Amino acid sequence: MSSAQDPFYIVKEEIQDSIDKLLSTFQQWERLSSNAGEQASLTKELLANSESIEWQVDELDKAISVAARDPSLYGIDQVELESRRRWTSSARTQVGDVKRSVVAGREAIEGGATSLHGMRRELMRLQNSQHTAGSNQYIDDNDNFIQSESDRQLLLIKQQDEELDELSASVERIGGVGLTIHEELLAQEKIIDDLGNEMDSTTNRLDFVQKKVAMVMKKASAKGQLMMILFLIILFIILFVLVFLT
């Protein structure tokens, strides 16, 4: 991904523009030491803009931490990650210096005890002494944040794996129950088919017997017909017992 398309460089350019404007306003604020009213107005503006830029740099740092978990996914390497971290550290230092200068100047104006020149010398001393410690602290905080986020992600992945295992076991159990039901239905269908075939066969035999009886009754006498009817009744009872009770 080219730098023109990389969201980091787009945001970086916007933040850098804000920092340039902040520094320009700060230079104007320094020249207004004799005008307390206008300097107070610029002080509020500088502090508000400093906090806004610090928040934007913090958000950019979070994005860098996310990219650091899998740099290849975002098409960057460790060298690029370190370059981005150095830039955010430098940006935070610039904004912090301005913010501390403005706060110190405001306190000096309100207290009336310190001149602007002396305040600036003190600020430079504090800046030189705190720059190294601040950078080291930032790196440590950043490493701790990355480690904690990595641990949290690993825990979430483990929980998701356990939930997926439980879901897989449930699906297997449901599949087993479904297979058992299918086999039972096939068995019931076969029994019904066999019963239907037996009923058809019995019906055909009864039809054949009825036709034979009708033919015999036409040829037999009244006494013979009575005997034949009695015989047929007995035969029907025997067939009924054989078909339905055995």
Side-chain angles (χ1 to χ4, degrees):
M1 182 183 296
S2 65
S3 60
Q5 297 174 336
D6 195 321
F8 171 83
Y9 287 100
I10 297 175
V11 177
K12 173 186 174 182
E13 184 177 354
E14 294 177 355
I15 296 176
Q16 187 61 58
D17 289 341
S18 299
I19 292 175
D20 293 340
K21 292 178 182 178
L22 180 72
L23 294 176
S24 176
T25 304
F26 177 67
Q27 292 174 358
Q28 182 182 358
W29 175 85
E30 287 182 309
R31 292 192 296 268
L32 293 174
S33 58
S34 60
N35 190 335
E38 190 170 354
Q39 190 179 44
S41 177
L42 287 179
T43 296
K44 293 181 180 179
E45 180 181 346
L46 286 169
L47 291 177
N49 292 339
S50 296
E51 291 179 357
S52 176
I53 295 173
E54 285 179 338
W55 178 83
Q56 294 178 51
V57 173
D58 288 341
E59 292 300 312
L60 196 58
D61 261 334
K62 293 178 182 178
I64 294 173
S65 298
V66 172
R69 298 172 194 164
D70 190 0
S72 60
L73 179 64
Y74 299 92
I76 58 179
D77 53 21
Q78 291 298 328
V79 175
E80 176 65 18
L81 284 173
E82 290 301 323
S83 175
R84 296 184 180 190
R85 287 168 177 162
R86 285 195 299 270
W87 184 87
T88 55
S89 178
S90 175
R92 183 178 285 103
T93 299
Q94 287 180 295
V95 176
D97 290 344
V98 171
K99 187 175 180 180
R100 285 191 295 271
S101 296
V102 173
V103 171
R106 182 180 61 182
E107 292 176 351
I109 292 173
E110 291 175 352
T114 306
S115 66
L116 180 60
H117 182 68
M119 176 272 296
R120 292 183 62 187
R121 286 204 308 268
E122 179 65 17
L123 173 63
M124 293 301 296
R125 186 185 66 80
L126 290 174
Q127 177 182 341
N128 292 333
S129 63
Q130 294 178 358
H131 178 71
T132 303
S135 298
N136 293 334
Q137 181 63 36
Y138 166 71
I139 293 173
D140 292 339
D141 291 344
N142 191 43
D143 291 340
N144 291 335
F145 173 78
I146 293 174
Q147 183 62 40
S148 63
E149 284 295 313
S150 177
D151 294 341
R152 187 173 66 86
Q153 291 296 327
L154 290 175
L155 179 60
L156 289 176
I157 292 173
K158 182 179 179 181
Q159 292 176 348
Q160 290 174 354
D161 289 340
E162 292 175 352
E163 293 174 357
L164 288 175
D165 290 340
E166 293 177 359
L167 180 60
S168 176
S170 299
V171 171
E172 290 179 358
R173 288 195 296 271
I174 293 174
V177 173
L179 182 60
T180 301
I181 294 174
H182 177 69
E183 293 174 351
E184 183 66 23
L185 289 175
L186 290 178
Q188 294 293 333
E189 183 179 2
K190 185 176 183 304
I191 292 173
I192 292 173
D193 290 340
D194 293 341
L195 180 60
N197 292 334
E198 291 180 3
M199 291 294 294
D200 292 339
S201 177
T202 302
T203 301
N204 292 334
R205 289 197 295 268
L206 287 175
D207 290 340
F208 175 79
V209 172
Q210 288 177 353
K211 290 179 181 178
K212 290 297 183 180
V213 170
M215 293 176 61
V216 172
M217 290 181 65
K218 288 181 179 179
K219 296 178 180 180
S221 61
K223 184 177 179 180
Q225 290 178 356
L226 182 61
M227 294 297 295
M228 184 60 65
I229 290 173
L230 182 61
F231 172 76
L232 291 175
I233 291 173
I234 295 172
L235 180 61
F236 177 78
I237 293 173
I238 294 172
L239 289 174
F240 181 82
V241 172
L242 291 175
V243 174
F244 295 101
L245 299 182
T246 59

